[in-house]
Amino acid sequence: MLLLAMDTATPAVTVALHDGEAVVASSSQVDARRHGELLMPAVDRVLKEAGLKLDAVTGIVVGVGPGPYTGLRVGLVTAATFSSALGVPVHGLCTLDGLAYAAGFDEPFAVATDARRKEVYWARYENSRTRVTDAAVDRPADIAERLAGLPVVGAGARLYPDAFPDARDPEHQSAAALAGLAAERLAAGGGGFLDPLPMYLRRPDAQVPKNYKVVTPQ
């Protein structure tokens, strides 16, 4: 097994290789505006670090979000392209599940990432491997009571300390954690994966202006 994992649903452009037992190589850069520029060099970097070529990969793992439209689709399109070119399966995972897995908690907690527009993407977990709510997008103040008393992992918790006073690491997504979770699920029979389709939860930030004039040639 050699899994190539990637996630661009958050400001972290993160890539990792996992051989089914451990992470072989990984790379993460936090830059919310350069997903398209940073992803392929990161893939090249982890392959070089591992001393492997792309054709050694037996499966692709990709974070499907939730996340902003532009960044999220970079990872998904790249994963689909690799899957098609190599003839290997692509396994989708909720981005929040990767953060939860990296947290390593055995008690209830939550994950919250920055959704912009003064909102967070979030979900509750029974432990680091078990999500108990669907991913959602809400204003922090609207969910503060529901998450009261729980540790909250992720950048969303740090952005809104009044709503989430018990912020915990990790702050950013890690493809290494996403790959580790995928390897566990594959070893257990291959269940729990999502279709590699974007989980937006809301409309894209870019919208066609209302009441604009259409100019056509005479």
Side-chain angles (χ1 to χ4, degrees):
M1 179 189 296
L2 184 66
L3 300 175
L4 173 63
M6 63 189 71
D7 197 320
T8 59
T10 73
V13 180
T14 180
V15 177
L17 285 169
H18 197 290
D19 65 4
E21 299 292 333
V23 174
V24 178
S26 64
S27 172
S28 291
Q29 294 173 269
V30 178
D31 191 325
R33 299 182 180 275
R34 298 177 62 217
H35 295 85
E37 297 174 45
L38 297 176
L39 182 58
M40 285 305 301
V43 171
D44 291 340
R45 193 159 49 248
V46 298
L47 287 168
K48 183 177 181 180
E49 181 182 333
L52 297 168
K53 293 186 177 181
L54 186 60
D55 60 8
V57 170
T58 61
I60 309 295
V61 180
V62 64
V64 303
Y69 178 78
T70 303
L72 176 55
R73 64 180 178 171
V74 171
L76 286 164
V77 169
T78 303
T81 302
F82 283 155
S83 174
S84 178
L86 298 172
V88 300
V90 56
H91 309 290
L93 286 173
C94 176
T95 293
L96 303 180
D97 290 355
L99 280 156
Y101 184 80
F105 292 162
D106 290 326
E107 73 241 20
F109 68 106
V111 174
T113 61
D114 182 18
R116 304 174 186 172
R117 303 185 194 176
K118 298 182 179 181
E119 294 178 329
V120 293
Y121 298 118
W122 69 280
R124 285 186 59 156
Y125 291 79
E126 183 64 29
N127 53 55
S128 63
R129 292 172 174 82
T130 310
R131 179 160 42 88
V132 294
T133 66
D134 290 335
V137 59
D138 286 289
R139 290 184 176 274
D142 292 341
I143 58 172
E145 186 174 343
R146 295 171 63 182
L147 302 184
L150 293 179
V152 183
V153 168
R158 297 183 182 279
L159 282 171
Y160 303 102
D162 289 344
F164 313 120
D166 191 3
R168 302 285 186 94
D169 289 332
E171 180 176 358
H172 295 294
Q173 172 69 312
S174 161
L178 204 68
L181 177 59
E184 278 193 12
R185 292 186 178 181
L186 287 168
F193 292 106
L194 303 172
D195 291 334
L197 300 172
M199 186 187 298
Y200 293 132
L201 300 187
R202 68 183 184 202
R203 295 178 183 273
D205 289 335
Q207 303 265 343
V208 176
K210 294 181 179 179
N211 301 319
Y212 69 95
K213 293 183 179 180
V214 177
V215 179
T216 56
Q218 296 295 327

